[in-house]
Amino acid sequence: MTSDVNEYLENILDDVGGLGLFQWILITIVLGSKISVSWSTLMMTFGGAVPDWHCFWTTVNGTEYYTNQTFMKTCELYNTSEPVMCQSQIYDPDMATVVSEWDLVCEKDWIASTITTIQMGGLLFGGFVSGQLADVLGRKFTYFAALFILLVFNGAAAFSTSWEMFAVFRFFIGIGCGFYLTVYFTFLIEFTPRTYRSMLVALPFWPIFCIIYACLCWWLHEWKYIQLAIAATNIPFILAIFFVPESYRWLVSNGKIAKAHSVIAKIAKINGKPPPDFKTFYEMASQATKQKSTEKRYTILDVIKNRRLLRYNVLLSVGWLSCGYGYYAISFGVQQLSGNLYVNLILINAMDIIGIVVWYLANCLGRKWTTFMLFLIGGSMGIVVGIIQFIDLSDKDELVNGFALASKLCVSSGWSALMILTSELYPTVVRNIGYGINNAVARLGAMVAPQLVFASEKIDGLSYLSFAGMMFLSAILVVTLPETNKTALQDTMDITISQKKSDKQSIMNPGYEKENYGTID
C-alpha cells in the first residue's frame, strides 16, 4: 500500500470528526470493559492472600494444647513440654480467600502462587491465539469473545469445589484476559487520529478500576462474592455488540470496501459530519485491495521470516517480558509490604494514574525515548528496594514501600509507552499478530512473577533486583528501535526503503520521520 493510501485512510478520520462523539463512545465502551479484565487479572492479589491464622494444636494424646499467642502463622512448635501436632488451621473470619477456603498453608503454601502462574499461562495462550484470530476474523469478534469468556468462567469459578477446579477456571479466565489485552488497543487506535493515540494508554481506566477493586475487596472480603461481581461487570458491555462496528482499517485490508465505507459513514453521522465520497474512498481503498489480492493471508510465520520484523520482535519482546514480570511481581507482592493490605492495594494502583503523563511525554519526547527514560528510572528504583531489603534500618518498611510504589509507577508508565511504540511499528495486516506475540511474551514474565514473589519470602531482595536488571536491559535495547512518533500507520507489508537508515537516524534523532516507501526485505 502506497504512502498516499496510508495518508488518505489516516486523514479520513479527521474529515469525519477526528476525536468526535463516536470515538468517545467507543473509548468508553472498550476501555470501560477493562473493569472485568483488571479485576480478573488482579483477583489473586486478594484471592491468594494469606489471612491471619493459627493452628489448632493437640498433644499426641489428642488433648488441646494452648499457646499464649494468637495468629502465629506457624506450622510447627518447638521447645514445648511434650510433642504437639497441628490438627487444623483457624483463620481470621474478616478475610476469606482461596487460602482459607482450601487450607493452602504449611506444606500447601506453594499452591496459591501456582494458581496465579496457571492464570498467567492462560494469558500467554490467549495472547498467542487472539493475535492471529483478530487478524483473520476481525477485531470485533475477538473483543467480544474475550468478554463472553470472562463472563462465563468468572461466574463458574465462584462455585469451585477444590483448588484444582478453581485453577482450571483461572486458566480460562486468563485466556479471556489475553484475548482482550491483545486486541483492545489495536482496535481503538484504528479508529483514533494519530495525534490522540498516546492518549489512549494514558487514560487511567485500569488503575481506577484496580482501586475500585481494592475497595470492593475491603467491603466484601469474600473471594466467592468477588468472583460473581467480576462476572457481572461484563454484561452491559457485551450488549454493546449492537453498536460497536468492525475496524474499517481491517475491512479495507481484507477487501471489504463497501462495509468499510458504511463504518466510516456511521462515524461521520454520529460525529455530525458528512460521509466521504464513496467513489473516492473506493478508488483509494481498492489500491490496498489490489495489493491484498496478490498477498497470502499473513500468519505468525510471516512475521518471524521477515528479517526486519523479526528484529523488532526480539528487541520489543525483552521490554514486554520485563514489564510483564515487573508489573505483576510488584502487584502480587503487595502483601509483603508493611501496613494494611487494602490500603497498599489502593496505593499500588494509584501510581498508575500518574502515568497519564505518558500522553504528553510520548508526543513530545517520542515513544522510544519516553520508554527508555521510564525503564531506566524504574530499574534504579528496583535496585534501591532490593538493597534496602538486605539491610536493617529503623525506617526500613517505609522506605521499601515508597520505592516500591515508585518502581510500580515507572514500569506501568513505561509499559504504556512501549504499547504505543509496538502497535505503530507493525503494519495493519500483521499488527495484531505482532502485538499478540509481544503480549504473550509479557505473560511469560507474568507467569514467573508469582514464583519469584514466593521465593523472595525466603531470599530478600530477589524479586526487585531481578526486576531492576531486566529494566536496565530493556532500556538499552529499546534505544535501537526506530521512532514512530507522528508517522502514519502502515496497512500492508510496505515500509520505507530507507528503513535501515531511518533506524540509525532515529536512535540519535527522535524527530526523524519516514518518507520513502517500498517493500520490507
Side-chain angles (χ1 to χ4, degrees):
M1 190 182 296
T2 64
S3 59
D4 290 339
V5 176
N6 281 320
E7 287 297 330
Y8 175 77
L9 293 175
E10 286 281 358
N11 295 334
I12 203 170
L13 283 174
D14 294 319
D15 296 337
V16 296
L19 191 68
L21 178 61
F22 171 85
Q23 278 73 19
W24 282 114
I25 294 174
L26 184 67
I27 289 170
T28 301
I29 292 171
V30 175
L31 294 186
S33 59
K34 194 182 284 189
I35 186 171
S36 174
V37 182
S38 60
W39 289 12
S40 295
T41 304
L42 296 180
M43 191 273 172
M44 290 300 288
T45 57
F46 171 82
V50 181
D52 289 332
W53 64 278
H54 67 273
C55 276
F56 176 73
W57 302 102
T58 62
T59 65
V60 291
N61 296 323
T63 59
E64 185 174 356
Y65 182 87
Y66 294 95
T67 64
N68 295 324
Q69 292 179 296
T70 303
F71 298 132
M72 294 174 61
K73 289 188 177 182
T74 183
C75 303
E76 296 178 348
L77 281 182
Y78 301 97
N79 300 321
T80 57
S81 58
E82 56 184 315
V84 295
M85 297 178 293
C86 181
Q87 291 292 346
S88 62
Q89 289 83 26
I90 300 173
Y91 297 90
D92 183 353
D94 290 336
M95 178 187 287
T97 70
V98 298
V99 173
S100 57
E101 182 75 18
W102 294 298
D103 289 329
L104 305 184
V105 294
C106 297
E107 71 276 2
K108 295 191 286 187
D109 61 354
W110 57 273
I111 293 177
S113 62
T114 300
I115 291 174
T116 307
T117 294
I118 290 171
Q119 171 190 303
M120 292 304 171
L123 267 80
L124 172 64
F125 180 80
F128 271 121
V129 173
S130 59
Q132 184 73 60
L133 203 62
D135 282 331
V136 174
L137 298 181
R139 286 41 165 150
K140 180 178 178 179
F141 173 86
T142 309
Y143 167 71
F144 283 103
L147 300 187
F148 182 76
I149 291 171
L150 291 173
L151 169 63
V152 171
F153 289 100
N154 270 300
F159 301 97
S160 300
T161 57
S162 67
W163 73 263
E164 294 91 345
M165 182 179 179
F166 181 73
V168 171
F169 286 134
R170 294 309 304 176
F171 179 78
F172 283 101
I173 290 168
I175 291 177
C177 293
F179 271 40
Y180 176 92
L181 293 172
T182 299
V183 75
Y184 89 93
F185 188 64
T186 299
F187 197 15
L188 284 178
I189 67 169
E190 291 177 354
F191 283 106
T192 306
R194 72 186 78 176
T195 305
Y196 301 100
R197 285 177 193 142
S198 58
M199 173 199 70
L200 296 176
V201 296
L203 293 174
F205 280 80
W206 181 283
I208 289 174
F209 291 148
C210 290
I211 291 172
I212 296 173
Y213 171 72
C215 295
L216 180 73
C217 295
W218 205 343
W219 173 44
L220 296 178
H221 53 77
E222 166 60 66
W223 72 272
K224 292 182 179 180
Y225 296 151
I226 292 170
Q227 282 284 177
L228 292 174
I230 296 172
T233 59
N234 291 283
I235 297 174
F237 298 103
I238 289 177
L239 297 177
I241 192 172
F242 301 106
F243 171 81
V244 175
E246 181 57 87
S247 163
Y248 79 94
R249 301 292 294 251
W250 182 85
L251 291 170
V252 169
S253 294
N254 285 271
K256 301 178 181 181
I257 300 176
K259 289 184 178 180
H261 184 268
S262 67
V263 170
I264 291 295
K266 178 179 181 178
I267 296 172
K269 181 179 179 181
I270 294 175
N271 287 346
K273 299 291 183 178
D277 178 67
F278 179 77
K279 182 179 179 181
T280 303
F281 181 86
Y282 187 87
E283 289 175 353
M284 295 298 291
S286 292
Q287 295 183 39
T289 303
K290 289 177 182 177
Q291 181 170 337
K292 178 72 178 178
S293 64
T294 63
E295 296 177 347
K296 62 180 180 179
R297 189 175 293 278
Y298 291 100
T299 67
I300 190 173
L301 292 178
D302 296 292
V303 177
I304 294 174
K305 289 178 181 178
N306 187 287
R307 288 179 294 173
R308 190 144 304 279
L309 292 183
L310 177 61
R311 173 176 171 269
Y312 292 167
N313 264 320
V314 171
L315 297 175
L316 288 168
S317 64
V318 175
W320 280 79
L321 179 72
S322 303
C323 290
Y325 167 74
Y327 186 92
Y328 290 106
I330 297 172
S331 297
F332 292 130
V334 65
Q335 195 178 22
Q336 296 180 9
L337 300 179
S338 62
N340 183 279
L341 171 64
Y342 305 107
V343 173
N344 287 337
L345 270 174
I346 292 171
L347 292 175
I348 280 284
N349 291 297
M351 291 299 100
D352 296 358
I353 296 179
I354 306 175
I356 195 171
V357 72
V358 171
W359 179 16
Y360 174 79
L361 293 176
N363 279 331
C364 294
L365 301 180
R367 283 63 160 130
K368 179 177 69 175
W369 292 105
T370 299
T371 306
F372 169 79
M373 177 185 68
L374 291 169
F375 282 0
L376 201 61
I377 298 174
S380 301
M381 296 298 101
I383 284 183
V384 173
V385 175
I387 292 174
I388 292 176
Q389 288 180 335
F390 270 110
I391 58 181
D392 291 325
L393 296 172
S394 57
D395 52 355
K396 176 178 178 177
D397 290 340
E398 291 77 9
L399 288 173
V400 168
N401 282 16
F403 283 105
L405 292 174
S407 299
K408 177 68 184 311
L409 169 61
C410 290
V411 68
S412 61
S413 301
W415 200 353
S416 295
L418 186 64
M419 287 178 186
I420 306 172
L421 179 64
T422 301
S423 61
E424 292 179 344
L425 278 174
Y426 293 96
T428 300
V429 291
V430 293
R431 183 171 298 124
N432 245 93
I433 295 175
Y435 196 87
I437 292 171
N438 287 285
N439 209 316
V441 170
R443 305 314 153 193
L444 286 175
M447 289 176 67
V448 174
Q451 301 306 316
L452 283 184
V453 169
F454 178 66
S456 66
E457 294 178 1
K458 301 174 177 61
I459 306 174
D460 291 337
L462 176 63
S463 179
Y464 279 92
L465 290 177
S466 300
F467 161 73
M470 296 174 73
M471 284 288 103
F472 286 138
L473 176 60
S474 300
I476 294 170
L477 295 182
V478 78
V479 175
T480 65
L481 290 165
E483 180 59 75
T484 61
N485 190 24
K486 299 177 182 177
T487 62
L489 291 179
Q490 298 299 300
D491 282 306
T492 66
M493 300 284 272
D494 291 342
I495 61 171
T496 62
I497 58 175
S498 57
Q499 185 69 53
K500 293 182 180 179
K501 179 180 177 181
S502 72
D503 286 0
K504 182 181 294 185
Q505 293 198 34
S506 68
I507 295 175
M508 302 306 298
N509 180 9
Y512 184 83
E513 297 182 14
K514 305 177 182 73
E515 296 178 355
N516 303 311
Y517 290 79
T519 303
I520 292 181
D521 57 2

